Amino acid sequence: MSRILDTTPAADGFAMPGEHAPQEEVWMAWPERSDNWRLGAKPAQDAFAAVAGAIAEVTPVSMAVSAAQWDNARARLPATVRVVEMSTDDAWMRDIGPTFVTDAKDRRRGVDWEFNAWGGLLDGLYFPWNRDARVASKICVLHRADIYRPGLVMEGGAIHTDGAGTLFTTEECLLHPSRNPDLAKSEIEAALKAALGQQKVIWLPRGLDGDETNGHVDNLMHVARPGEVILSWCDDPADPNHAICREALAVLEAAQDAAGRTLTIRKLHIPAPLHITGEEAGGIDPTGDMARAAGTRLAASYVNFLVTNGRVIFPLLDPDRDAAARAELQSAFPEREIVGLPAREILLGGGNIHCITQQVPAI
Ligand code: KQY
């Protein structure tokens, strides 16, 4: 049975490994809510199944699936993917799953953040979110991992680590009034360091324009390896992302990581502006909270990829830019196979491949 620990990972000698470290498993959750995924989520389910299948070729995958969707998911998913019955409110495993930490004695524990659907009653995307909020603990129990509950409202997509003591996040998200309004920036930084065993936090100002998570860092940048990051880029001065990416670049260029290094920064151009079509919007059941109207710009980004055992799995989003994105990723990860998968249906739900996956580091 998993214990709820009242210490911190840092105090116990645990830290979050980088995504480039060996992985034992990747968790995902099955999409089904018809107010986020068009046409009863069938196109999204096909996209999720392709992502799961591509990961499962190199890393075991577990898919959390509701009781009502179990037969459908089992039929649509490759046989290599394990289906686990588990209740969720939506399908963003990066944000509802645990962040695993490991130590030098080859032990693994889980961090269970306070999840409030990206903003709770102030700014959240749906209500209720109680099933999502229980997912991290359930997964920890399945892995027989003890659990830390730092009491911080946040999501896994709000952080990246280099696995060597440096954490990246955005002020827009973690200082948003809908997350931890009673904590000062210094207190949030201290809580992150304690919960993830990190020594340095690099705060980027804003996430990409129109990102409904209040600017998750995992849609703005990724880490290739300690000392090297991949930053979303935009050359069009008329695009709001032009300024956002330059602000982030300025911070990264001025930063030193936990080891005292300056960072090597690669730029990965975002797709040309993508918008929800009338046909796509017509297939979504409307609610008040999620902006899914025709013409809404999608927060599209190639850095929303997953690094997993020998592969990088990235979203195909724009036929004019996909090949350049693949080439840039191959240059950033020469030792890995770069796999591109159609991801517009995932993007329509408000995130991408990194957002729908959560890795379990190997021990
Ligand atoms: O960026 C992520 N990690 C998740 C995106 C969630 C979108 C909710 N509709």
Side-chain angles (χ1 to χ4, degrees), residues 36-37 90 92 94-95 118 125-126 155-158 211-213 216 218-219 290 292 304 349-352 354-356:
N36 195 36
W37 308 103
D90 202 357
W92 304 99
R94 176 65 49 187
D95 295 342
W118 308 276
L125 297 176
Y126 45 75
E155 311 86 35
D211 185 329
E212 63 187 7
T213 64
H216 269 186
D218 72 346
N219 211 33
M290 290 191 260
R292 299 287 180 267
N304 207 312
N352 226 301
H354 194 257
C355 307
I356 64 169

mmCIF file of all heavy atoms in Angstrom, residues 36-37 90 92 94-95 118 125-126 155-158 211-213 216 218-219 290 292 304 349-352 354-356, ligand 1:
data_model
loop_
_atom_site.group_PDB
_atom_site.id
_atom_site.type_symbol
_atom_site.label_atom_id
_atom_site.label_comp_id
_atom_site.label_asym_id
_atom_site.label_seq_id
_atom_site.Cartn_x
_atom_site.Cartn_y
_atom_site.Cartn_z
ATOM 1 N N ASN A 36 -15.568 18.576 -25.457
ATOM 2 C CA ASN A 36 -14.188 18.952 -25.781
ATOM 3 C C ASN A 36 -13.711 18.274 -27.066
ATOM 4 O O ASN A 36 -12.903 18.837 -27.780
ATOM 5 C CB ASN A 36 -13.238 18.571 -24.644
ATOM 6 C CG ASN A 36 -11.892 19.263 -24.771
ATOM 7 O OD1 ASN A 36 -11.831 20.419 -25.201
ATOM 8 N ND2 ASN A 36 -10.822 18.590 -24.427
ATOM 9 N N TRP A 37 -14.212 17.089 -27.333
ATOM 10 C CA TRP A 37 -13.745 16.305 -28.480
ATOM 11 C C TRP A 37 -14.904 16.138 -29.449
ATOM 12 O O TRP A 37 -15.964 15.658 -29.068
ATOM 13 C CB TRP A 37 -13.232 14.940 -28.023
ATOM 14 C CG TRP A 37 -12.214 15.024 -26.921
ATOM 15 C CD1 TRP A 37 -12.421 14.768 -25.598
ATOM 16 C CD2 TRP A 37 -10.846 15.415 -27.047
ATOM 17 N NE1 TRP A 37 -11.264 14.957 -24.893
ATOM 18 C CE2 TRP A 37 -10.274 15.352 -25.754
ATOM 19 C CE3 TRP A 37 -10.037 15.806 -28.116
ATOM 20 C CZ2 TRP A 37 -8.939 15.667 -25.511
ATOM 21 C CZ3 TRP A 37 -8.707 16.115 -27.868
ATOM 22 C CH2 TRP A 37 -8.171 16.036 -26.584
ATOM 23 N N ASP A 90 -11.372 14.189 -18.025
ATOM 24 C CA ASP A 90 -10.952 14.353 -19.423
ATOM 25 C C ASP A 90 -9.682 13.543 -19.616
ATOM 26 O O ASP A 90 -9.494 12.549 -18.887
ATOM 27 C CB ASP A 90 -10.807 15.838 -19.797
ATOM 28 C CG ASP A 90 -10.900 16.060 -21.318
ATOM 29 O OD1 ASP A 90 -11.015 15.077 -22.062
ATOM 30 O OD2 ASP A 90 -10.852 17.218 -21.767
ATOM 31 N N TRP A 92 -6.060 14.483 -20.026
ATOM 32 C CA TRP A 92 -4.767 15.191 -20.042
ATOM 33 C C TRP A 92 -3.848 14.601 -18.987
ATOM 34 O O TRP A 92 -3.641 15.174 -17.920
ATOM 35 C CB TRP A 92 -5.015 16.690 -19.849
ATOM 36 C CG TRP A 92 -5.965 17.185 -20.893
ATOM 37 C CD1 TRP A 92 -7.314 17.393 -20.750
ATOM 38 C CD2 TRP A 92 -5.672 17.455 -22.261
ATOM 39 N NE1 TRP A 92 -7.851 17.792 -21.946
ATOM 40 C CE2 TRP A 92 -6.875 17.840 -22.897
ATOM 41 C CE3 TRP A 92 -4.497 17.419 -23.023
ATOM 42 C CZ2 TRP A 92 -6.931 18.177 -24.259
ATOM 43 C CZ3 TRP A 92 -4.560 17.756 -24.365
ATOM 44 C CH2 TRP A 92 -5.770 18.134 -24.962
ATOM 45 N N ARG A 94 -0.700 14.319 -18.625
ATOM 46 C CA ARG A 94 0.436 15.128 -18.157
ATOM 47 C C ARG A 94 0.038 15.922 -16.913
ATOM 48 O O ARG A 94 0.845 16.125 -16.011
ATOM 49 C CB ARG A 94 0.867 16.097 -19.277
ATOM 50 C CG ARG A 94 1.967 17.059 -18.937
ATOM 51 C CD ARG A 94 3.303 16.400 -18.648
ATOM 52 N NE ARG A 94 3.710 15.432 -19.653
ATOM 53 C CZ ARG A 94 4.767 14.634 -19.542
ATOM 54 N NH1 ARG A 94 5.522 14.672 -18.460
ATOM 55 N NH2 ARG A 94 5.060 13.755 -20.493
ATOM 56 N N ASP A 95 -1.200 16.367 -16.899
ATOM 57 C CA ASP A 95 -1.643 17.282 -15.849
ATOM 58 C C ASP A 95 -2.325 16.593 -14.677
ATOM 59 O O ASP A 95 -2.283 17.097 -13.558
ATOM 60 C CB ASP A 95 -2.608 18.316 -16.457
ATOM 61 C CG ASP A 95 -1.904 19.201 -17.465
ATOM 62 O OD1 ASP A 95 -0.664 19.251 -17.435
ATOM 63 O OD2 ASP A 95 -2.587 19.838 -18.284
ATOM 64 N N TRP A 118 -7.204 23.596 -14.423
ATOM 65 C CA TRP A 118 -6.561 24.781 -15.011
ATOM 66 C C TRP A 118 -7.229 26.091 -14.569
ATOM 67 O O TRP A 118 -7.398 27.007 -15.365
ATOM 68 C CB TRP A 118 -6.511 24.691 -16.539
ATOM 69 C CG TRP A 118 -5.919 23.399 -17.007
ATOM 70 C CD1 TRP A 118 -4.590 23.101 -17.148
ATOM 71 C CD2 TRP A 118 -6.640 22.225 -17.368
ATOM 72 N NE1 TRP A 118 -4.453 21.798 -17.565
ATOM 73 C CE2 TRP A 118 -5.687 21.239 -17.722
ATOM 74 C CE3 TRP A 118 -7.996 21.891 -17.431
ATOM 75 C CZ2 TRP A 118 -6.053 19.953 -18.120
ATOM 76 C CZ3 TRP A 118 -8.359 20.617 -17.830
ATOM 77 C CH2 TRP A 118 -7.384 19.668 -18.167
ATOM 78 N N LEU A 125 -11.602 25.016 -16.798
ATOM 79 C CA LEU A 125 -12.205 24.645 -18.082
ATOM 80 C C LEU A 125 -13.417 23.746 -17.931
ATOM 81 O O LEU A 125 -14.182 23.582 -18.873
ATOM 82 C CB LEU A 125 -11.154 23.983 -18.966
ATOM 83 C CG LEU A 125 -9.985 24.910 -19.343
ATOM 84 C CD1 LEU A 125 -8.938 24.151 -20.136
ATOM 85 C CD2 LEU A 125 -10.495 26.099 -20.140
ATOM 86 N N TYR A 126 -13.550 23.110 -16.784
ATOM 87 C CA TYR A 126 -14.766 22.341 -16.521
ATOM 88 C C TYR A 126 -14.946 22.128 -15.024
ATOM 89 O O TYR A 126 -14.020 22.291 -14.242
ATOM 90 C CB TYR A 126 -14.800 20.992 -17.266
ATOM 91 C CG TYR A 126 -13.537 20.148 -17.234
ATOM 92 C CD1 TYR A 126 -13.167 19.436 -16.093
ATOM 93 C CD2 TYR A 126 -12.735 20.039 -18.358
ATOM 94 C CE1 TYR A 126 -12.037 18.642 -16.075
ATOM 95 C CE2 TYR A 126 -11.587 19.246 -18.354
ATOM 96 C CZ TYR A 126 -11.245 18.552 -17.200
ATOM 97 O OH TYR A 126 -10.115 17.785 -17.188
ATOM 98 N N GLU A 155 -0.119 21.778 -12.511
ATOM 99 C CA GLU A 155 -0.263 20.632 -13.391
ATOM 100 C C GLU A 155 1.112 20.258 -13.944
ATOM 101 O O GLU A 155 1.997 21.114 -14.047
ATOM 102 C CB GLU A 155 -1.198 20.969 -14.570
ATOM 103 C CG GLU A 155 -2.512 21.620 -14.172
ATOM 104 C CD GLU A 155 -2.381 23.140 -14.047
ATOM 105 O OE1 GLU A 155 -1.621 23.740 -14.823
ATOM 106 O OE2 GLU A 155 -3.054 23.724 -13.172
ATOM 107 N N GLY A 156 1.245 19.011 -14.370
ATOM 108 C CA GLY A 156 2.528 18.548 -14.896
ATOM 109 C C GLY A 156 2.994 19.314 -16.125
ATOM 110 O O GLY A 156 4.203 19.435 -16.363
ATOM 111 N N GLY A 157 2.053 19.842 -16.921
ATOM 112 C CA GLY A 157 2.431 20.601 -18.111
ATOM 113 C C GLY A 157 2.996 21.977 -17.801
ATOM 114 O O GLY A 157 3.479 22.668 -18.689
ATOM 115 N N ALA A 158 2.934 22.363 -16.527
ATOM 116 C CA ALA A 158 3.441 23.679 -16.127
ATOM 117 C C ALA A 158 4.929 23.643 -15.830
ATOM 118 O O ALA A 158 5.512 24.682 -15.491
ATOM 119 C CB ALA A 158 2.682 24.185 -14.902
ATOM 120 N N ASP A 211 -3.237 29.856 -25.226
ATOM 121 C CA ASP A 211 -3.125 28.574 -24.514
ATOM 122 C C ASP A 211 -4.072 28.612 -23.316
ATOM 123 O O ASP A 211 -3.892 29.402 -22.389
ATOM 124 C CB ASP A 211 -1.671 28.377 -24.068
ATOM 125 C CG ASP A 211 -1.435 27.016 -23.429
ATOM 126 O OD1 ASP A 211 -2.373 26.483 -22.800
ATOM 127 O OD2 ASP A 211 -0.319 26.495 -23.551
ATOM 128 N N GLU A 212 -5.076 27.748 -23.313
ATOM 129 C CA GLU A 212 -6.134 27.824 -22.291
ATOM 130 C C GLU A 212 -5.701 27.273 -20.934
ATOM 131 O O GLU A 212 -6.497 27.248 -19.999
ATOM 132 C CB GLU A 212 -7.390 27.100 -22.791
ATOM 133 C CG GLU A 212 -7.206 25.623 -23.026
ATOM 134 C CD GLU A 212 -8.428 24.993 -23.683
ATOM 135 O OE1 GLU A 212 -9.357 25.706 -24.066
ATOM 136 O OE2 GLU A 212 -8.439 23.747 -23.801
ATOM 137 N N THR A 213 -4.429 26.847 -20.821
ATOM 138 C CA THR A 213 -3.922 26.393 -19.525
ATOM 139 C C THR A 213 -3.303 27.533 -18.726
ATOM 140 O O THR A 213 -2.663 27.282 -17.710
ATOM 141 C CB THR A 213 -2.837 25.319 -19.722
ATOM 142 O OG1 THR A 213 -1.726 25.933 -20.403
ATOM 143 C CG2 THR A 213 -3.339 24.146 -20.533
ATOM 144 N N HIS A 216 1.012 27.112 -20.199
ATOM 145 C CA HIS A 216 1.898 25.998 -19.829
ATOM 146 C C HIS A 216 3.240 26.069 -20.560
ATOM 147 O O HIS A 216 3.299 26.306 -21.769
ATOM 148 C CB HIS A 216 1.230 24.664 -20.176
ATOM 149 C CG HIS A 216 0.423 24.109 -19.060
ATOM 150 N ND1 HIS A 216 -0.167 22.875 -19.098
ATOM 151 C CD2 HIS A 216 0.117 24.622 -17.838
ATOM 152 C CE1 HIS A 216 -0.810 22.642 -17.970
ATOM 153 N NE2 HIS A 216 -0.660 23.695 -17.194
ATOM 154 N N ASP A 218 5.022 23.574 -21.308
ATOM 155 C CA ASP A 218 5.252 22.447 -22.229
ATOM 156 C C ASP A 218 4.713 22.715 -23.633
ATOM 157 O O ASP A 218 4.921 21.905 -24.541
ATOM 158 C CB ASP A 218 4.719 21.113 -21.664
ATOM 159 C CG ASP A 218 3.213 20.973 -21.648
ATOM 160 O OD1 ASP A 218 2.495 21.980 -21.815
ATOM 161 O OD2 ASP A 218 2.737 19.826 -21.451
ATOM 162 N N ASN A 219 4.057 23.855 -23.814
ATOM 163 C CA ASN A 219 3.656 24.255 -25.168
ATOM 164 C C ASN A 219 4.576 25.343 -25.714
ATOM 165 O O ASN A 219 4.445 25.751 -26.865
ATOM 166 C CB ASN A 219 2.205 24.771 -25.146
ATOM 167 C CG ASN A 219 1.470 24.503 -26.451
ATOM 168 O OD1 ASN A 219 1.707 23.492 -27.130
ATOM 169 N ND2 ASN A 219 0.589 25.403 -26.829
ATOM 170 N N MET A 290 -15.232 26.162 -22.315
ATOM 171 C CA MET A 290 -14.154 25.906 -23.265
ATOM 172 C C MET A 290 -14.437 26.654 -24.557
ATOM 173 O O MET A 290 -15.521 26.545 -25.123
ATOM 174 C CB MET A 290 -14.012 24.405 -23.500
ATOM 175 C CG MET A 290 -13.462 23.692 -22.274
ATOM 176 S SD MET A 290 -12.985 21.996 -22.552
ATOM 177 C CE MET A 290 -14.388 21.106 -21.918
ATOM 178 N N ARG A 292 -14.539 26.908 -28.048
ATOM 179 C CA ARG A 292 -14.449 25.979 -29.173
ATOM 180 C C ARG A 292 -15.251 26.500 -30.368
ATOM 181 O O ARG A 292 -15.748 25.714 -31.176
ATOM 182 C CB ARG A 292 -14.992 24.589 -28.770
ATOM 183 C CG ARG A 292 -14.236 23.915 -27.631
ATOM 184 C CD ARG A 292 -12.870 23.409 -28.075
ATOM 185 N NE ARG A 292 -12.156 22.767 -26.983
ATOM 186 C CZ ARG A 292 -11.298 23.406 -26.176
ATOM 187 N NH1 ARG A 292 -11.061 24.699 -26.333
ATOM 188 N NH2 ARG A 292 -10.672 22.758 -25.218
ATOM 189 N N ASN A 304 5.448 20.566 -28.249
ATOM 190 C CA ASN A 304 4.571 19.755 -27.397
ATOM 191 C C ASN A 304 4.727 18.276 -27.772
ATOM 192 O O ASN A 304 3.778 17.600 -28.149
ATOM 193 C CB ASN A 304 3.124 20.221 -27.569
ATOM 194 C CG ASN A 304 2.287 19.934 -26.337
ATOM 195 O OD1 ASN A 304 2.324 18.837 -25.813
ATOM 196 N ND2 ASN A 304 1.537 20.925 -25.887
ATOM 197 N N GLY A 349 -8.584 19.757 -28.823
ATOM 198 C CA GLY A 349 -8.985 19.626 -27.422
ATOM 199 C C GLY A 349 -8.222 20.562 -26.498
ATOM 200 O O GLY A 349 -8.498 20.622 -25.295
ATOM 201 N N GLY A 350 -7.221 21.288 -27.040
ATOM 202 C CA GLY A 350 -6.540 22.297 -26.234
ATOM 203 C C GLY A 350 -5.117 21.955 -25.825
ATOM 204 O O GLY A 350 -4.532 22.666 -25.012
ATOM 205 N N GLY A 351 -4.552 20.894 -26.359
ATOM 206 C CA GLY A 351 -3.168 20.558 -26.003
ATOM 207 C C GLY A 351 -2.560 19.686 -27.070
ATOM 208 O O GLY A 351 -3.040 19.662 -28.204
ATOM 209 N N ASN A 352 -1.496 18.975 -26.712
ATOM 210 C CA ASN A 352 -0.921 18.078 -27.713
ATOM 211 C C ASN A 352 -0.231 16.865 -27.077
ATOM 212 O O ASN A 352 -0.545 16.519 -25.945
ATOM 213 C CB ASN A 352 -0.038 18.834 -28.701
ATOM 214 C CG ASN A 352 -0.382 18.377 -30.121
ATOM 215 O OD1 ASN A 352 -0.270 17.195 -30.440
ATOM 216 N ND2 ASN A 352 -0.861 19.297 -30.951
ATOM 217 N N HIS A 354 2.587 15.985 -25.702
ATOM 218 C CA HIS A 354 3.174 16.027 -24.357
ATOM 219 C C HIS A 354 2.084 16.098 -23.296
ATOM 220 O O HIS A 354 2.191 15.465 -22.245
ATOM 221 C CB HIS A 354 4.127 17.230 -24.227
ATOM 222 C CG HIS A 354 5.008 17.150 -23.024
ATOM 223 N ND1 HIS A 354 4.780 17.874 -21.882
ATOM 224 C CD2 HIS A 354 6.108 16.393 -22.774
ATOM 225 C CE1 HIS A 354 5.718 17.583 -20.993
ATOM 226 N NE2 HIS A 354 6.533 16.691 -21.505
ATOM 227 N N CYS A 355 1.027 16.838 -23.585
ATOM 228 C CA CYS A 355 -0.050 17.030 -22.605
ATOM 229 C C CYS A 355 -0.839 15.747 -22.328
ATOM 230 O O CYS A 355 -1.476 15.642 -21.283
ATOM 231 C CB CYS A 355 -1.049 18.067 -23.103
ATOM 232 S SG CYS A 355 -0.363 19.636 -23.610
ATOM 233 N N ILE A 356 -0.845 14.817 -23.257
ATOM 234 C CA ILE A 356 -1.684 13.623 -23.069
ATOM 235 C C ILE A 356 -0.879 12.427 -22.578
ATOM 236 O O ILE A 356 -1.412 11.310 -22.502
ATOM 237 C CB ILE A 356 -2.468 13.255 -24.361
ATOM 238 C CG1 ILE A 356 -1.525 12.869 -25.506
ATOM 239 C CG2 ILE A 356 -3.397 14.397 -24.765
ATOM 240 C CD1 ILE A 356 -2.254 12.252 -26.711
HETATM 241 O O1 KQY B 1 -0.821 21.670 -21.853
HETATM 242 C C1 KQY B 1 -1.230 20.696 -21.275
HETATM 243 N N1 KQY B 1 -0.388 20.048 -20.500
HETATM 244 C C2 KQY B 1 -2.657 20.279 -21.216
HETATM 245 C C3 KQY B 1 -3.621 20.985 -22.046
HETATM 246 C C4 KQY B 1 -4.990 20.852 -21.445
HETATM 247 C C5 KQY B 1 -6.053 21.427 -22.275
HETATM 248 C C6 KQY B 1 -7.399 21.282 -21.647
HETATM 249 N N2 KQY B 1 -8.467 21.417 -22.575
#
